[in-house]
């Protein structure tokens, strides 16, 4: 008899079909110091990644479904990472030429921002590009609604910057907006919370759980910079709902995404550009441009900068593929194509 019902974590027939019948499978709930917590039907086990046997060069990430086998010291070894569905990735901050998977197998990516500080639109756009690129549904959650008098105005500005993205507001005061967030985390689905340190992610998780679970520390009052409280990406099951992944604060992210994701975030630019005189209009100073003067100049400048960043990513990736073609391992992610 199994102790834990893995279907609550999202295990389904398709996952079962991608593993052998006899395989012992589980989901990674936490990765730290090279080891993982894996929830299996017998409970949570501590796992090491058996890189000599695991397929390719896939480093296990929180949210991955994996196959485990007995390992050393009462631990288990991860021998296989099941093919991922949606993954949230950014450009690896240390090795600039590869992507880093933040959370695997996500259905909803929520960008969390605290209303006790300003939200630079460029930061929001960057996160949204990564969120759209994951294939999951992006959402914006504005926390600490009790800290502003301008909730309506800010919400309207954020909505205008995020076409197609639901924008929610929450506060720990009277549990404002918590039910609406709970609706996002449907049973058997996974929602990842990303955002800067101190944005209120752990507080939100606690409100959703209905009790104090994660350690939250007071933000330093003077600069309202968050202290680093969450240390690992952790997957938590909400009783009666789905799974939440609380991530350590990320201030900014390097974009590692397809242009299609950029087009989703800047759908206003794409829409107006249909009427530009030149098909390859850069919306810079071309005559007959239908975007210039319509889309605000600052937003257009950010669009162009992100396009260039994605272009440079392709150049780096092509360079890397060239280097790797002389070695044994293939790219960690499917091939990308320039438009
Ligand atoms: N006024 C107010 N303060 C809040 C609210 N939610 C969170 N805070 C405060 O904001 C600070 C940061 O909250 P956390 O939940 O720890 O933030 P976090 O995003 O998890 O931060 P990291 O774990 O560092 O990534 C704490 O001092 C909380 O008490 C809210 O709704 N209203
Ligand atoms: Zn144009």
């Amino acid at each position: 008899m199994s102790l834990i019902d893995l279907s609550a974590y999202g295990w389904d027939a398709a996952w079962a079909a991608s593993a052998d019948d006899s395989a012992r499978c589980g989901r990674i709930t936490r990765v730290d110091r090279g080891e993982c917590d894996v929830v299996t039907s017998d409970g949570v086990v501590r796992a090491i990644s058996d890189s000599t046997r695991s397929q390719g060069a896939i480093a296990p990430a929180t949210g991955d479904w994996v196959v485990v086998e007995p390992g050393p010291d009462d631990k288990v070894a991860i021998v296989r990472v099941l093919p991922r569905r949606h993954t949230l990735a950014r450009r690896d901050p240390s090795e600039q030429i590869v992507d880093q998977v933040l959370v695997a197998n996500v259905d909803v990516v929520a960008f969390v921002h605290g209303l006790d500080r300003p939200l630079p639109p460029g930061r929001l756009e960057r996160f949204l590009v990564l969120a759209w690129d994951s294939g999951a549904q992006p959402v914006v959650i504005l926390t600490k609604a009790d800290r502003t008098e301008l909730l309506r105005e800010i919400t309207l500005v954020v909505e205008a910057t995020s076409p197609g993205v639901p924008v929610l507001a929450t506060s720990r005061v009277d549990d404002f907006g918590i039910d609406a967030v709970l609706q996002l985390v449907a049973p058997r689905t996974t929602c990842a919370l990303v955002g800067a340190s101190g944005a209120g992610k752990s507080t939100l998780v606690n409100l959703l759980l209905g009790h104090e679970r994660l350690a939250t520390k007071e933000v330093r009052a003077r600069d309202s910079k968050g202290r680093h409280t969450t240390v690992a990406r952790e997957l938590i099951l909400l009783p009666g709902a789905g799974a939440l992944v609380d991530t350590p604060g990320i201030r900014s992210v390097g974009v590692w995404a397809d242009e299609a994701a950029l087009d989703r975030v800047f759908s206003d630019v794409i829409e107006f550009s249909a009427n530009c005189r030149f098909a390859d209009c850069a919306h810079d100073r071309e005559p007959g441009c239908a975007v210039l003067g319509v889309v605000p100049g600052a937003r257009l400048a950010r669009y162009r900068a992100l396009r260039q960043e994605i272009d440079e990513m392709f150049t780096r990736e092509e360079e890397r593929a060239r280097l790797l073609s002389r070695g044994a391992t293939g790219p960690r992610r499917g091939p990308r194509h320039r438009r």
Side-chain angles (χ1 to χ4, degrees):
M1 200 193 74
S2 61
L3 291 166
I4 293 178
D5 173 18
L6 287 182
S7 69
Y9 286 85
W11 182 255
D12 59 23
W15 287 119
S18 64
D20 290 337
D21 281 347
S22 59
R24 185 180 177 202
C25 298
R27 191 166 193 200
I28 297 181
T29 56
R30 188 186 171 96
V31 180
D32 57 326
R33 284 165 277 132
E35 296 190 353
C36 314
D37 286 344
V38 178
V39 58
T40 71
S41 55
D42 308 319
V44 176
V45 290
R46 194 76 180 151
I48 53 167
S49 175
D50 189 344
S51 54
T52 53
R53 292 165 69 196
S54 63
Q55 289 189 329
I58 297 176
T62 301
D64 265 326
W65 285 99
V66 294
V67 175
V68 295
E69 284 180 4
D73 310 329
D74 288 340
K75 290 174 185 162
V76 299
I78 294 170
V79 293
R80 212 184 135 206
V81 175
L82 297 185
R84 290 166 176 157
R85 291 180 190 170
H86 302 149
T87 56
L88 180 67
R90 66 168 164 180
R91 193 167 69 220
D92 193 308
S94 48
E95 297 176 69
Q96 293 282 314
I97 54 158
V98 293
D99 60 333
Q100 176 191 47
V101 173
L102 296 173
V103 188
N105 305 315
V106 281
D107 301 287
V108 174
V109 174
F111 172 63
V112 180
H113 174 76
L115 291 174
D116 57 340
R117 63 196 79 182
L119 173 54
R123 247 171 63 74
L124 173 61
E125 287 158 356
R126 253 169 204 284
F127 271 100
L128 290 176
V129 169
L130 296 190
W132 280 118
D133 195 61
S134 73
Q137 170 65 50
V139 174
V140 175
I141 301 177
L142 303 171
T143 63
K144 313 190 197 184
D146 56 287
R147 296 290 302 272
T148 178
E149 313 263 84
L150 301 170
L151 180 59
R152 240 191 84 75
E153 290 80 355
I154 295 171
T155 304
L156 288 173
V157 171
V158 172
E159 280 173 347
T161 316
S162 331
V165 176
V167 179
L168 306 177
T170 64
S171 168
R172 67 176 174 202
V173 177
D174 299 332
D175 285 5
F176 172 74
I178 298 303
D179 283 344
V181 176
L182 204 51
Q183 300 296 315
L184 292 175
V185 196
R188 293 176 295 282
T189 68
T190 301
C191 171
L193 303 177
V194 294
S197 185
K201 299 179 295 298
S202 303
T203 303
L204 187 59
V205 173
N206 287 330
L207 290 169
L208 290 163
L209 282 170
H211 59 92
E212 286 290 312
R213 186 183 176 285
L214 301 164
T216 45
K217 294 193 191 122
E218 284 306 307
V219 159
R220 276 168 284 154
R222 230 171 337 119
D223 55 6
S224 83
K225 278 211 180 80
R227 284 200 209 149
H228 223 262
T229 50
T230 304
V231 291
R233 291 180 265 278
E234 189 177 7
L235 186 141
I236 300 149
L237 195 62
L238 288 182
L244 271 183
V245 182
D246 187 21
T247 66
I250 339 178
R251 187 133 284 278
S252 192
V253 285
V255 161
W256 187 276
D258 280 334
E259 278 176 339
L262 185 68
D263 292 356
R264 293 297 285 267
V265 179
F266 291 91
S267 59
D268 48 346
V269 175
I270 303 307
E271 202 175 299
F272 293 123
S273 67
N275 297 320
C276 291
R277 186 182 304 162
F278 303 112
D280 63 348
C281 184
H283 325 307
D284 198 355
R285 61 196 72 187
E286 287 85 348
C289 176
V291 177
L292 279 170
V294 179
V295 174
R299 179 162 161 90
L300 199 51
R302 295 191 303 267
Y303 167 74
R304 280 200 301 262
L306 278 173
R307 266 204 79 137
Q308 191 181 344
E309 198 173 318
I310 289 176
D311 229 50
E312 285 163 6
M313 174 203 82
F314 275 113
T315 307
R316 278 194 294 263
E317 202 175 47
E318 281 160 8
E319 178 64 19
R320 182 168 173 270
R322 245 197 316 279
L323 292 171
L324 280 176
S325 65
R326 295 184 222 134
T329 46
R332 287 198 288 178
R333 199 169 163 160
R336 292 173 178 280
H337 302 286
R338 279 182 204 265
R339 252 205 314 246

